[in-house]
Each structure stands twice: as structure tokens, then as C-alpha cells.
Amino acid sequence: MVAKKITSKIIIYILLIAGVVLSIAPFYWMIVGSTLPSGEIFRVPPKLLPGDYLAKNFQTLNESLGIAKIFWNSLFIALVYTLVSTLISAMAGYAFAKFKFKGKNVFFFIILCTLMIPSQVTLIPLFEMMVTFNWLNTYQAIILPTLASPFAIYLMRQNMKAIPDSIMEASRIDGAGELKIFFTVILPVTRPAMAAVGIFLFMSQWNSLLWPLITLNSKEMFTLPVALSSLIGMARIDYGQLMLGTTLSTIPIMIFFLLLQKHFISGILGGSVKE
Amino acid sequence: MLKKKEKQPSFTLVRKRVPYLFILPWIIGFLVFTLGPLGSSLIMSLFDWPITGEAKFIGLNNFTKMFTADPQFYDSLVITFKFAAIFVPLNLISALVLALLITQPVKGVKIFRTIFYLPAVVSGVAVSIIWGWIFNSEFGVLNYLLSLIGIEGPSWLIDPKWAIVTIVIASAWGVGTMMLIFYTDIKGIPPELYEAASIDGAGPLRQFFNITIPTITPTILFNVITSVIAALQQLTLVLLLTGGGPLKSTYFYGLFVYNNAFKHHQLGYASANAWFMFIIILILTMLIFKSSSTWVFYEAEMKKGGKK
Amino acid sequence: MKLSKMKLILLFTIALALLLSACNSTKSNSDEATEDGKVKIRFATWDVGNDVQLQQNLIDEFNAKNEKIKVVLEAYGGEYDTKITAGIGAKDAPDVMYMWNYPQYKDALEPLDSYIDKNGEEYKSDFYESLWNYNSVGGETLGLPVGYTTHVVYYNKDLFDEKGLEYPQAGWTWADLQETAKKLTNKDKKITGFAFPGKPDPYDFEMYLWGNGASYVDSDGKLKGNLNSTKSIETFSLFQDMLKDGYAITTEGSGDTEMKSGKVGMFINGAWYLSPLKEAGINYGVVEVPTFENGKSVSIVSSSGIAMSKDSKHKEAAFEFMKFWTGKEANKERIAFELPVLKSVVEEEKLQEDPVKGVFYSMLEQSEGYTPASFITENWSQVSENLGFVFEQIFNPSTRVDPKKALNEAVK
């Protein structure tokens, strides 16, 4: 029995470590690549250890892209988007979870349906709309169209349902207004869920490519994915710089996730997991 | 995950407008940025809508062309479904296996959980760049490692048989989100259920099939639907990693639409293509939902048949 | 409870403030004038990396000198076509934009003949004639030439030295190239004599047909009888046979990666790779494209020009800038990364005598009088996609279709 337990533990660990290798190895090569000059990336056999070209790659990449500005763009857009979108989805999620009203099911069905709309369908008309508003190449063009995220609303609704009605009733008896109840009672108790939704929204905006690619024109406005994609596909890609750009866009979001993952995981399903 | 039994609110609300106020921001966003464009693109699909020059009303001609005169439409559709058919099951199974692994009572699972999730936080652009280098048949790390154990790796991005596999692998790398959803669900299963089963003499395998799987069927349903939608819409990877090649073996439907719009400048035709994809997704989702009544068990039924 | 309320209100205010500042802090592109009352000209480039910086410097120079015009550079990079397409479709195209694929965009571009004529015959004739061809459609000039490249053979000198082979000379034939490639190939060391793209861009590949007296289409744009002519099939077979015999390989990209690795003896491409190959430490030389029996050494010209949007609201100002951008000074400033297109500059800088750059100019002179199919065919982007697929079928190792069969199929 004991021996069997040990073997099963060993098997589990072998599988776990295999999973770790598959998850981490590509990141390792990404980092190695960013420390090599282009010429050395394409060698047989490939280099498996970091080189000393990191500073040079950074310098050239920075000269051509202006890394600080691009970082700021990505960060600003993702941050504003996350704050506003989380609030909107919390409000909608609250209404769907805790109120009865005419058309509720229809509205909710619509939300589920919008999950299925391929982005290509709305891409061109949306773009023309941005032109009409004279919004091309602005932050709000990136932020506004996806603020009402159906997935976020769905998650918020799932979480809000777990709140006992008694809390709201008690406040109502105290004579509190509905908005006050929402802000002072509901939001504080759903903080884990808001954190999870917020992290989800932040990551999706940080990584978003297609829409910013079409609406942003100038280098000064580019977000990280757009700047990266502008480096691919041209005749003269410098692989070392490309890898460095990838590393720079990836590391912050990884750190962001590592710092907040506890909230993310506990919030994503309404605290059904006890840590 | 999908549907917990709803408890009716025990009060009736006096101020009827309140819930509408709460969903108002969403309604505005939906009307302006989703429904409006959706309608516009349906109208565009009835036009010959070039980038330059006047749009011309042509009725259903775009749709006729699509169904009768454009072999690429069918090719792309078939390839996309083929991709979905490989990707969805693979993704589900690997997510489930990983989720089971990190629910095991061994030391350090939390760290493993975090590591397994990391690839999912990376953007599609980054995934394309990283895997593009790994899969390079001549200078890629993958074929080098394979050669060390005596296997001559295929020309991943040149051989049409393998190119679709590279897309599957690169997409499946981001399996973390689904894994996490399974994980939270499996963690939520009351341990008493397993204890009772063990007393009845059920081994781990039987416990898995009799308890774990039936309990998480709603989550499986959710994951099937989201990954089918994601698979059918896949664009970033084929755009940046393979460009649709080799030999159009990864010319997915998403790329077909994108190229018709932005390469061939046929906005009307592209709108028709995109609308068709929307309808296909709607129908598929509905079919999956319909089928779900036969294999998805909700909490209430579980309790009836359970041992509690 | 009070504290968390405060926090929430604070958070909400911050969010609102940020959103508002987002709306105010950014300016739209289409603004008519800048703060200082200058006319704003938007200028789109496809370049990436350092070249953008060099262009920006040149623009700063222009802006400093010019009292009425302010040029703003927009670098679109790899997704250039997507962004230009979107811009044109929305009537929001940049005033001036880099351009090569004129037929695709011709309806959105301002014909420039009247502007050019105002500057006199001498202005026009300083540009290489063959370049005007590449910047016009249907007799209308739509762009001013900025740069060009012809294709040449790059060869790895070290590999030649190792085998004690003579460096190739202008006037060599494809048979010579094949002979050399065979000698360079060393299976044990994984060295191959020659490399070409497994999915060649149809626009580029047509030059081999020209060299052999064939072309994709006739003057009516008909593929049949042209793409599948004996000479054309012969050309494709020549390339396919090199693969079959094992002294050539196909490459995933344009071949620069393989060349940079030092494992390939020769590859054919434009001037883009002059400095990247040097940076990768490859000791290379360049030579004219080989000739066919009874044929010529011809190259496609990849020309870049700048064009003006038809919707531009400041056409005079835009042309003013275009003149600067294509003028003598600008040509000289760009000399490090662009081959000058003005005869006077080429002469002053003695570029024709340059052992490397001179090859590109002699190729340019030999390639006069050919019109790429993209300028003849109505819907080139679609035709090009189909042709690319056929070529891939001929060269891809997993299909390697007989050229005769593939091309006959393609013209149906």
C-alpha cells in the first residue's frame, strides 16, 4: 500500500515536471533569443545559453520603437479600460443577479449571444465609426468599443448570486438608496470577484492586437502588441530585437499575474475554492 | 460553472427603474458598439463595397458568389473545422489532465498551478514569435532537440501535414485558462462524495468517472462552447505564424475574411463571409446546447442520485 | 464601512478622471492645422527600426526649414497594407504615403503629371526612366520614385574560397550557377550551393521568366499561352530540377535567414540584405543575375515611391513635401539605406563604380522595358494569391507537382 502510494506520487511528479518544462521552455528560449545578435540566433546547433547582446538589442530596439512611450500606452489603456469595464460589469452583473425586471432573460440571452460574434463582423463598421467621430489614433478608440464585456458581466453575475439577499434588505430597511447600497454594501463584499474580473480584463486588453492595429496610426500611440507586429513581416526583421520586444511585453504581464494570482483564482468562481 | 440553481429573491422591488439604471452602461455600449456595427455589416454584405469608389447594391450576389463560385470558401471552412476537431478535444483533455494533476495532494501544487497558467497570460503576437522560432525546421530548437534523441523532425512550417499541427500546439500552449476553470470546479466537489465512494470500494479511476466527470459536466459544456468559438475564430496565429501557408494548409476562415477585406479590398464580400461565420457559430452553439441535455448533469439531479 | 466607501468613491473618481483625460490628452490625426497654424501633412511609411528614426530626422529638418507645413510621420510597419486600406476606405488616408503596389490603390491616388510638369522637363529626366514606369498606371504618374532595388545574386565568399572556386562574373549563365552550386554543396557539413524561397512572391519571380523571354501575361492580361508557354515551363523546371538534384534548397522566408547562417552558397534578392548580412558576419559579394541561353540578365524592379491621397486637403503643401523627399539632398541623406534614384546623385557619388551598388545600377539599366503582370492584370492581389499557391505546389517538397501540369492547370 505504501509502495503503491509512493509510485503514484512519483508518477504525479514526473507528469507535473513535464508540464513545467512544456510551459516554461518556450519562455526560456525567448529570453535567450533576446540576448543574442540576429546572426547568432540562426546557428546550427542552436545556442541554448544566453549571450551578451542584451544591452545592444535593447538600445537598437529602443531607438526604433521608443519603448517607454509604448509601455505607457499599453499600461494606460489597459488600466483605464480595466477600471471602467469592471465597474460596468459589476453594475450589470448585480442587476442580473439580484433584481427581477421585465426583459431580464432577453437581455441576458443577448449578452450570451454577443460572446459568439466574430470580431471580424463588426471590425469594418466600427472602424468607419471611429473615423466619423474623428477618433482614429486616440486612446478612447481602443478603450470604448469593448468596455461592455459580456464575459465579465457573466462572471460578475455568477459571483453576485452568492451574496445573501439579507444584506441588501437590511440596508433598505435602514433607508439607504439603491446606488448607496451598491457602492457601500455590494461592491465591498464582491471585491475578490472584482479583482478576478479586473485581472482578466487587464490581460485581455494588454494583449489585444487586431483592433488597436487597425485604429492606431502613429508610433507614438502604439501598444506593445501593435509595435511587435509592426516588426514582423518586413524584409529586415532583426530576430534578436524581436525576441527582446516579446520578452519586454511578456514579463510585465507575467509579474502582474504572479502578484495578483491569488485574487484571480479565488475570485473567478465566487470564492468556491478555499485556499 | 454554468448554472447553479437560482434562489428567488425574497423581496419585490418598489422602484422598478433601478435595475435598468444598472444595466444602462452596458445597453449603451451594446447598442453603439455591437448592435449598430452588426447591422451595418449586414447591410454592407448586400453591396459591392470597394475601398475606393462608390458602393453598389448587388442583393444577395456576395452570398451566391461565396456558395457557388469561390472554392477557397469551402477549403477554408473545411480546414477551420478540421482545426477545431483536433484542437477542441486536445485542449479539453490536456486542461482536464493538468487540472487533475494540480488537485493532487502533493507538495508544491500551488507553484505548479501558477506555472501551468503562465502561457495563458501571453499575447497571441508573442506566442507567434516564440513558436515561429521554435518550429523553424532548419534552425529551430525543437528539431535540434529531436535530433539529439535520434529523430529527424519534420519541416513544421513547410510541410502542409504538419503546419496545422504547429497551430494546434501553439494554441494549446495557452490551455491554462481552461485548466483553471476545471480546477476550481473539481476543488468545489465535496470530499464526502469521494469518501463515501471509497468506502463502497471504488478505486480512483471509478471515482473519476462516477463522481468527478458527472459533477463537472456543466463546466465541460462551457469549455466546449468557448473553445469551439475560439477555434473557429482563430486568426492571430495563422496571420503571424504561417500566413495561411504552406500550400494554404492553414488558410483558416478567419484569415479568409481578413484577407478579403484588407488584402483584396472587398469589404462587402468580407462582411458576407463574416456574417456566415456568425451564423455557423450560433447554430453550432445551439446544437451543443441541445445535445447537452443528454450528457450534462446539474446539481439538482446530482443530489437526487447522490449518496448524501 | 465608511472607509471602504471612501475608497470606492476615490477609485471611481480616478477612473473617471483617467477616462476624461484620455479623451482630452490625445489628438486626432485629421486635425486640419497644428497649434502654430501650420498645415499638417500626414506621411505614412512602411519602414521599421532605425530607418524610421533616420526618416524622422529628415522630416525634422524639413519642418524646421518650412514655415507653413508640418509633416507628421506615421510608421505602419509590417501591417502597412492593412492600415492604408483601412485609411483609404474611411476617407482618412495619410496625405502622402509610401507606395509600390500602385494598381491596387490607383483609384485613391492623385495623378501627379500636372504637378511634375510645372517643375520642368529637367526635373523629370533626372530620375531613371525605368522607374517612372513602376510609378504609373495606365499612363498616369501616381508617384515620385524614392528608392528602388533590383535583384542580384549574393554569394558567400568564404564558402567559395574554401572550395577554391572563382567568384562569379557578370554575364554568367544559369548553367554556370548550377555548376557552381553543385561544387559548393557539401551534404556532411549541411552546406547547400543555392537557395530560393519555397513560396516565391509571384511579383518577384516573373523576372526569371523575362530573362527567358516569357512572362505571366500578355498585354491583355491573359495568362493562357503565356504562363504555360514552353519557355515559362522551362524556367520553372530549371528551379525544380535544382531541388531534385539536391544542390539547392527552398527557404521558409526569403532566404536571408539561411544565408545568414553561413550554410548557403548563393541566394538572389534585393538590396535589403546588404547590411543585415554584413551585421551577421557574412563575407559576401554580389553579382548580376545569370542569363538563360539566348536570354538576358533581367531583374524585377522593386520600386518605392511616394504618392498623394486623392482626398488630401492640402495637395500643394503635400507636393511641396514630396519634392523635398525625392530631391537631391534627401536622396543623399538616405544613401546609407536606400539606392538613390536621381542620375545626378548617382554620378556625383560615383555609385556606378561601386563594386556592390554598381551591380544594382547595371541590373536596373538592363531591366528597362518590362512591365510586371501586376500592372497589367485587373485584380492582381487575387491572381497573385492563386499564382503563389501554384508556385508553392511546384516547389514544396511534399507536392513538387510537375511544372507543366501545374501551370496548365493554373491558366484554366
Side-chain angles (χ1 to χ4, degrees):
Chain A
M1 195 67 185
V2 178
K4 207 176 154 195
K5 235 183 176 167
I6 289 173
T7 13
S8 79
K9 274 221 164 142
I10 288 173
I11 292 171
I12 287 170
Y13 270 114
I14 289 174
L15 288 172
L16 281 170
I17 286 163
V20 169
V21 171
L22 287 176
S23 307
I24 294 286
F27 289 122
Y28 176 73
W29 281 303
M30 169 188 84
I31 292 169
V32 170
S34 61
T35 64
L36 296 172
S38 260
E40 273 189 44
I41 288 183
F42 297 100
R43 284 276 181 266
V44 187
K47 287 221 161 185
L48 298 179
L49 292 174
D52 53 3
Y53 216 67
L54 182 67
K56 185 77 183 40
N57 276 339
F58 184 83
Q59 194 194 340
T60 11
L61 187 71
N62 193 25
E63 272 166 22
S64 54
L65 284 183
I67 293 169
K69 185 75 204 321
I70 286 168
F71 249 102
W72 166 246
N73 292 337
S74 272
L75 189 68
F76 180 83
I77 290 173
L79 219 55
V80 174
Y81 173 79
T82 304
L83 287 177
V84 181
S85 184
T86 309
L87 185 70
I88 290 178
S89 38
M91 285 165 67
Y94 175 57
F96 283 118
K98 288 289 158 205
F99 287 92
K100 277 210 292 188
F101 55 96
K102 231 180 168 178
K104 175 175 159 176
N105 289 333
V106 177
F107 282 127
F108 198 68
F109 182 71
I110 291 175
I111 289 186
L112 291 182
C113 281
T114 54
L115 276 170
M116 294 164 216
I117 301 175
S119 58
Q120 285 111 324
V121 177
T122 50
L123 201 63
I124 295 160
L126 262 181
F127 178 78
E128 308 233 335
M129 183 193 284
M130 292 304 129
V131 176
T132 322
F133 291 170
N134 215 351
W135 275 3
L136 278 193
N137 214 24
T138 60
Y139 289 134
Q140 65 264 33
I142 311 294
I143 294 170
L144 288 178
T146 48
L147 269 183
S149 157
F151 191 64
I153 294 176
Y154 178 78
L155 272 182
M156 287 312 290
R157 170 181 170 268
Q158 293 302 101
N159 279 284
M160 299 276 191
K161 276 187 167 176
I163 303 170
D165 292 332
S166 51
I167 297 185
M168 290 141 59
E169 280 169 62
S171 305
R172 283 200 184 100
I173 291 163
D174 290 348
E178 289 297 331
L179 266 181
K180 194 177 168 198
I181 294 175
F182 176 70
F183 280 106
T184 57
V185 180
I186 302 299
L187 284 192
V189 299
T190 47
R191 255 202 312 242
M194 300 228 308
V197 168
I199 294 165
F200 164 79
L201 291 170
F202 186 88
M203 293 197 299
S204 69
Q205 184 61 264
W206 180 272
N207 289 334
S208 150
L209 168 70
L210 212 53
W211 179 241
L213 177 71
I214 289 172
T215 41
L216 296 179
N217 289 333
S218 64
K219 213 174 59 172
E220 285 68 41
M221 295 296 294
F222 278 0
T223 59
L224 280 161
V226 179
L228 270 184
S229 81
S230 83
L231 289 179
I232 326 178
M234 293 304 283
R236 272 177 285 171
I237 357 172
D238 187 304
Y239 250 85
Q241 290 176 40
L242 197 56
M243 286 294 170
L244 178 62
T246 313
T247 308
L248 289 176
S249 81
T250 306
I251 297 293
I253 193 78
M254 279 164 77
I255 293 173
F256 172 82
F257 173 73
L258 289 178
L259 291 178
L260 297 175
Q261 56 147 331
K262 223 173 124 186
H263 303 281
F264 185 58
I265 292 164
S266 65
I268 200 159
L269 274 186
S272 65
V273 180
K274 299 285 172 289
E275 286 294 313
Chain B
M1 175 74 199
L2 259 192
K3 198 168 147 198
K4 301 257 161 77
K5 208 164 175 258
E6 296 192 24
K7 229 164 114 199
Q8 297 302 331
S10 55
F11 61 92
T12 44
L13 199 68
V14 197
R15 283 159 291 181
K16 283 231 157 63
R17 268 179 310 162
V18 172
Y20 294 107
L21 283 178
F22 277 113
I23 62 167
L24 189 65
W26 167 74
I27 290 180
I28 295 172
F30 170 74
L31 289 179
V32 178
F33 297 116
T34 306
L35 193 64
L38 199 63
S40 315
S41 94
L42 186 60
I43 294 169
M44 283 176 87
S45 74
L46 303 175
F47 282 79
D48 175 14
W49 197 299
I51 290 282
T52 53
E54 289 300 297
K56 209 168 72 209
F57 182 77
I58 52 167
L60 292 174
N61 277 5
N62 280 328
F63 292 92
T64 341
K65 177 184 169 193
M66 186 161 101
F67 294 126
T68 59
D70 192 349
Q72 189 58 52
F73 164 74
Y74 290 105
D75 290 346
S76 289
L77 212 56
V78 169
I79 297 164
T80 311
F81 276 115
K82 196 171 137 194
F83 169 71
I86 309 172
F87 171 74
V88 174
L90 182 84
N91 212 25
L92 274 173
I93 291 168
S94 43
L96 194 53
V97 168
L98 288 177
L100 284 173
L101 275 176
I102 54 175
T103 44
Q104 294 305 312
V106 291
K107 265 195 194 127
V109 273
K110 265 194 211 167
I111 298 165
F112 288 111
R113 185 184 71 195
T114 310
I115 292 175
F116 292 167
Y117 188 75
L118 276 185
V121 308
V122 177
S123 70
V125 188
V127 171
S128 310
I129 294 172
I130 298 171
W131 286 93
W133 185 34
I134 292 175
F135 279 127
N136 187 301
S137 45
E138 201 67 29
F139 309 102
V141 184
L142 182 59
N143 276 2
Y144 171 69
L145 292 180
L146 287 176
S147 77
L148 289 185
I149 51 170
I151 299 171
E152 197 186 330
S155 309
W156 297 99
L157 298 167
I158 293 178
D159 190 334
K161 282 198 299 292
W162 288 100
I164 199 164
V165 179
T166 64
I167 301 289
V168 170
I169 294 176
S171 338
W173 193 46
V175 73
T177 313
M178 203 182 279
M179 169 196 82
L180 219 52
I181 295 172
F182 274 135
Y183 167 79
T184 37
D185 216 29
I186 293 173
K187 273 275 192 179
I189 301 173
E192 304 90 73
L193 281 182
Y194 291 106
E195 278 157 28
S198 300
I199 291 165
D200 287 358
L205 212 62
R206 248 183 69 200
Q207 287 183 18
F208 173 71
F209 283 109
N210 289 347
I211 301 170
T212 316
I213 291 281
T215 323
I216 63 170
T217 41
T219 311
I220 295 179
L221 173 67
F222 175 82
N223 279 340
V224 167
I225 289 173
T226 49
S227 58
V228 164
I229 294 176
L232 294 183
Q233 293 190 35
Q234 176 59 261
L235 172 62
T236 315
L237 279 181
V238 286
L239 182 70
L240 298 175
L241 184 56
T242 62
L247 290 164
K248 296 204 170 173
S249 56
T250 58
Y251 205 94
F252 288 1
Y253 198 86
L255 188 64
F256 172 69
V257 181
Y258 183 84
N259 278 350
N260 280 338
F262 292 105
K263 218 168 131 199
H264 307 321
H265 295 183
Q266 302 165 313
L267 298 188
Y269 188 51
S271 299
N273 300 151
W275 256 91
F276 180 73
M277 171 58 41
F278 180 35
I279 291 165
I280 288 272
I281 291 177
L282 275 180
I283 293 174
L284 261 183
T285 314
M286 250 156 56
L287 284 179
I288 298 172
F289 255 117
K290 275 256 168 75
S291 82
S292 72
S293 61
T294 60
W295 58 273
V296 173
F297 310 99
Y298 292 108
E299 224 170 323
E301 304 166 44
M302 280 297 298
K303 277 194 185 125
K304 244 184 276 162
K307 311 207 164 213
K308 233 173 163 182
Chain C
M1 192 64 93
K2 250 214 169 119
L3 195 73
S4 56
K5 181 185 172 184
M6 287 293 287
K7 259 197 208 156
L8 280 162
I9 290 174
L10 194 70
L11 201 70
F12 184 63
T13 344
I14 293 172
L16 253 176
L18 280 173
L19 188 70
L20 286 175
S21 77
C23 297
N24 295 328
S25 68
T26 57
K27 271 241 184 62
S28 164
N29 270 315
S30 313
D31 272 359
E32 296 288 305
T34 55
E35 300 101 35
D36 39 9
K38 289 182 175 183
V39 169
K40 184 173 156 187
I41 297 291
R42 291 168 56 209
F43 175 38
T45 175
W46 53 50
D47 273 313
V48 290
N50 291 337
D51 299 350
V52 177
Q53 200 48 52
L54 293 168
Q55 291 182 345
Q56 185 63 54
N57 295 344
L58 202 52
I59 287 171
D60 291 344
E61 218 172 279
F62 176 83
N63 285 340
K65 273 193 292 195
N66 222 295
E67 281 167 15
K68 289 190 200 117
I69 307 169
K70 184 178 177 191
V71 177
V72 181
L73 183 66
E74 301 183 353
Y76 294 172
E79 290 297 323
Y80 188 81
D81 276 298
T82 303
K83 301 190 65 69
I84 289 290
T85 302
I88 291 174
K91 305 234 175 300
D92 190 61
D95 301 274
V96 180
M97 49 199 143
Y98 264 88
M99 186 61 48
W100 68 274
N101 189 0
Y102 289 93
Q104 174 100 337
Y105 297 100
K106 61 176 187 288
D107 296 326
L109 303 179
E110 175 84 1
L112 298 175
D113 298 281
S114 60
Y115 300 84
I116 296 169
D117 289 345
K118 275 185 215 155
N119 286 279
E121 184 53 36
E122 220 165 277
Y123 172 75
K124 194 176 178 181
S125 62
D126 199 17
F127 291 91
Y128 279 87
E129 286 79 16
S130 31
L131 292 177
W132 285 119
N133 236 341
Y134 279 88
N135 286 282
S136 335
V137 181
E140 277 183 326
T141 311
L142 296 177
L144 300 180
V146 173
Y148 84 98
T149 180
T150 40
H151 285 227
V152 298
V153 180
Y154 288 80
Y155 57 92
N156 186 325
K157 285 184 176 171
D158 292 344
L159 293 182
F160 275 69
D161 293 346
E162 229 167 80
K163 292 276 174 178
L165 293 173
E166 297 269 317
Y167 300 148
Q169 299 290 327
W172 66 325
T173 62
W174 279 101
D176 295 336
L177 182 139
Q178 287 172 310
E179 205 50 47
T180 318
K182 257 179 225 166
K183 286 182 188 152
L184 286 169
T185 303
N186 182 338
K187 287 257 153 70
D188 298 332
K189 285 186 176 169
K190 289 197 163 178
I191 291 170
T192 332
F194 183 59
F196 62 94
K199 193 188 177 187
D201 184 342
Y203 178 81
D204 292 340
F205 201 84
E206 196 175 14
M207 67 179 183
Y208 302 123
L209 274 71
W210 291 343
N212 201 16
S215 60
Y216 293 153
V217 295
D218 55 21
S219 52
D220 298 329
K222 222 173 64 199
L223 288 165
K224 203 169 186 173
N226 298 293
L227 179 67
N228 60 341
S229 67
T230 324
K231 288 280 180 193
S232 167
I233 293 169
E234 195 182 287
T235 313
F236 282 95
S237 302
L238 175 100
F239 279 85
Q240 198 190 49
D241 289 345
M242 286 194 271
L243 295 176
K244 284 182 180 162
D245 295 344
Y247 52 85
I249 50 161
T250 51
T251 58
E252 282 179 27
S254 55
D256 61 311
T257 327
E258 286 75 3
M259 196 69 190
K260 278 180 191 162
S261 74
K263 301 276 180 190
V264 161
M266 298 173 280
F267 95 119
I268 297 180
N269 217 306
W272 300 292
Y273 298 112
L274 288 173
S275 36
L277 283 175
K278 201 179 279 169
E279 277 159 27
I282 300 297
N283 176 20
Y284 66 84
V286 297
V287 63
E288 289 178 14
V289 174
T291 59
F292 284 87
E293 219 172 300
N294 306 320
K296 276 179 69 183
S297 166
V298 192
S299 165
I300 186 85
V301 179
S302 300
S303 126
S304 63
I306 45 175
M308 193 196 299
S309 161
K310 228 176 197 163
D311 297 324
S312 168
K313 294 190 183 76
H314 311 286
K315 290 184 178 153
E316 289 300 327
F319 193 76
E320 188 68 31
F321 170 67
M322 290 169 77
K323 247 173 75 185
F324 165 80
W325 200 252
T326 53
K328 240 171 140 175
E329 283 308 304
N331 264 285
K332 280 186 185 169
E333 296 250 11
R334 277 194 299 268
I335 215 160
F337 63 102
E338 189 103 77
L339 293 165
V341 292
L342 295 175
K343 290 174 197 159
S344 55
V345 175
V346 173
E347 217 158 277
E348 278 168 37
E349 303 283 333
K350 299 202 171 37
L351 291 178
Q352 257 158 337
E353 289 143 44
D354 187 300
V356 174
K357 289 183 178 169
V359 181
F360 291 91
Y361 285 97
S362 51
M363 284 307 303
L364 178 65
E365 276 158 19
Q366 288 165 36
S367 307
E368 213 181 311
Y370 293 93
T371 312
S374 69
F375 284 72
I376 305 170
T377 317
E378 220 9 85
N379 50 346
W380 173 249
S381 84
Q382 195 67 57
V383 173
S384 159
E385 193 175 306
N386 298 342
L387 285 181
F389 182 58
V390 175
F391 298 175
E392 220 185 334
Q393 286 178 315
I394 296 175
F395 298 130
N396 192 297
S398 58
T399 39
R400 229 167 251 179
V401 180
D402 175 43
K404 194 172 173 181
K405 210 175 126 203
L407 297 174
N408 279 332
E409 189 66 31
V411 298
K412 271 182 191 159

